[in-house]
Amino acid sequence: MRASGWIQYREDEPGDLFRRYSLNYNIWNMQTFGNERFATGTNINGNFQLLSYWGGFGGLNYELPALNIRVLRGGPAMKAPSGYNFWGGFYSDNRKPVVVEAGGWYWTDPERSQAGGIWMDFSWRPSSSVRLALGPSYDRMHDDWQFVTIQDLDDNLHYFTGVLDQNTFSLTTRLDWTFTPNLSLQLYAQPFVSSGDYQSFDEVVAPKADAYDDRFSKLEEDRLSYTPAGSDGGPGVYDVDLNRDGEVDFSFDDPNFNFKQLRSTVVLRWEYMQGSTFFFVWSQQKTAFDFDGNFNPGQDIRSLFDAEGSNIFSIKVNYYLTP
């Protein structure tokens, strides 16, 4: 069940400084049919364009404390702290041969979790028939209660979370080249790297406790042991002695990860008759995964070129029966 409100002030007539601008205010509340309130927040955001055709945007968002109904993957709702985030950015005159757009964002809560990121889109049009665009982005997250595993022990479900540091980098590349009005080439490529390093692990013991630390019981060295990965290339293993009786109650794989992927597509389009087109498409995807949390985007992207991948070639023909 959702209730929300929105109001906007907008000015579309050019003035002494702005060509246009707008300001928005939002407020919302969401709850389940079980009367669990899982989102209450408000934000203010806006955007503008100057007389020079440069512009910008930004906003500030605040979330009240609520219940998180998803973090335990079907388990009980868990009390979540308040949080706020803000974002902003700018863009240059898109009529020019070189156009730049860039921005960033940041989110945090009072209980040790935070995240942020920056991004940029750069495009260059050396002629009316060629356009090259690059879009790098980088995000970093510190999640103090990332879900790890569910264990059924003595007919009771136990939920475990971890402290996760995650880094993600991507670089989107596009090339549009129109040779003639009837013949064009499009290229798309995006290397993507994301790594996650878990620092510690907790059992969720009181998900709705008022005090944040009372919701967890940390798995210290007297309850947690680690067996490093063997030569088979698999992950390491954590053994958990939950009640400290000297017996392993359960084990789980080291959740650290390093995921790398390269997606690329080339499309050749030829209009061989008016209204009739021929497409030749080549798609390639390369993926690699390591069981560690190391983040080295330069090395990771280079390793993708040696990784095994899949290549898909396809042809599409359209024939226009009557003009």
Side-chain angles (χ1 to χ4, degrees):
M1 295 181 289
R2 174 185 178 119
S4 60
W6 170 79
I7 188 171
Q8 179 189 75
Y9 178 79
R10 184 177 69 231
E11 184 62 67
D12 294 325
E13 295 294 330
D16 295 334
L17 178 62
F18 296 103
R19 183 171 300 276
R20 59 173 175 81
Y21 65 89
S22 65
L23 190 65
N24 309 284
Y25 176 73
N26 303 272
I27 188 170
W28 61 88
N29 182 78
M30 291 183 283
Q31 63 188 61
T32 69
F33 287 109
N35 204 30
E36 296 173 312
R37 184 178 58 83
F38 63 91
T40 301
T42 182
N43 77 40
I44 185 170
N45 64 85
N47 62 82
F48 65 89
Q49 187 179 68
L50 302 174
L51 295 177
S52 63
Y53 287 93
W54 284 61
F57 51 89
L60 177 65
N61 189 90
Y62 178 72
E63 293 271 358
L64 276 68
L67 294 175
N68 190 314
I69 61 176
R70 298 182 178 88
V71 66
L72 297 183
R73 304 296 196 273
M78 191 166 176
K79 191 172 182 180
S82 62
Y84 71 88
N85 66 288
F86 57 86
W87 64 94
F90 73 92
Y91 59 89
S92 65
D93 185 352
N94 61 13
R95 303 171 305 167
K96 304 295 184 180
V98 176
V99 179
V100 178
E101 184 174 353
W105 62 278
Y106 178 77
W107 170 87
T108 187
D109 68 32
E111 302 294 355
R112 299 184 284 275
S113 292
Q114 58 186 353
I118 55 175
W119 56 269
M120 185 183 76
D121 285 323
F122 170 85
S123 66
W124 175 44
R125 192 184 292 273
S127 69
S128 60
S129 61
V130 179
R131 179 179 177 271
L132 175 66
L134 297 175
S137 70
Y138 170 70
D139 295 333
R140 178 175 175 81
M141 178 182 68
H142 176 83
D143 190 344
D144 200 65
W145 49 312
Q146 172 65 41
F147 174 82
V148 173
T149 184
I150 302 174
Q151 296 293 327
D152 187 351
L153 305 174
D154 300 325
D155 296 325
N156 291 311
L157 293 177
H158 296 252
Y159 301 87
F160 297 87
T161 62
V163 178
L164 170 65
D165 286 325
Q166 183 174 358
N167 294 273
T168 302
F169 173 80
S170 67
L171 177 62
T172 303
T173 304
R174 288 183 171 90
L175 172 65
D176 299 324
W177 196 336
T178 303
F179 302 107
T180 70
N182 299 328
L183 183 63
S184 63
L185 179 71
Q186 292 181 315
L187 181 147
Y188 169 87
Q190 184 192 58
F192 175 89
V193 177
S194 186
S195 68
D197 184 19
Y198 284 81
Q199 305 297 318
S200 60
F201 302 96
D202 305 281
E203 181 186 7
V204 179
V205 293
K208 296 181 181 179
D210 291 334
Y212 179 79
D213 288 333
D214 291 342
R215 300 168 203 166
F216 308 94
S217 175
K218 186 172 291 295
L219 298 181
E220 304 283 4
E221 292 183 358
D222 60 341
R223 297 198 294 170
L224 186 70
S225 60
Y226 182 68
T227 302
S231 58
D232 59 353
V237 176
Y238 284 97
D239 295 321
V240 180
D241 177 10
L242 201 59
N243 55 9
R244 301 183 178 89
D245 63 355
E247 298 290 334
V248 175
D249 294 305
F250 69 93
S251 302
F252 64 92
D253 290 341
D254 187 347
N256 285 354
F257 63 90
N258 182 291
F259 177 81
K260 304 174 281 286
Q261 189 171 77
L262 174 63
R263 293 181 177 181
S264 57
T265 304
V266 178
V267 179
L268 179 67
R269 177 187 179 275
W270 174 36
E271 187 174 353
Y272 59 93
M273 291 175 53
Q274 184 176 359
S276 300
T277 51
F278 170 89
F279 296 91
F280 177 78
V281 182
W282 171 37
S283 298
Q284 183 184 70
Q285 178 172 298
K286 292 187 174 184
T287 302
F289 186 91
D290 294 313
F291 295 98
D292 63 61
N294 298 326
F295 181 70
N296 189 331
Q299 177 179 323
D300 290 335
I301 291 174
R302 287 193 297 270
S303 68
L304 276 173
F305 292 96
D306 297 327
E308 294 185 1
S310 61
N311 292 276
I312 299 175
F313 298 90
S314 58
I315 294 175
K316 177 182 177 181
V317 179
N318 293 335
Y319 181 72
Y320 195 25
L321 296 177
T322 58

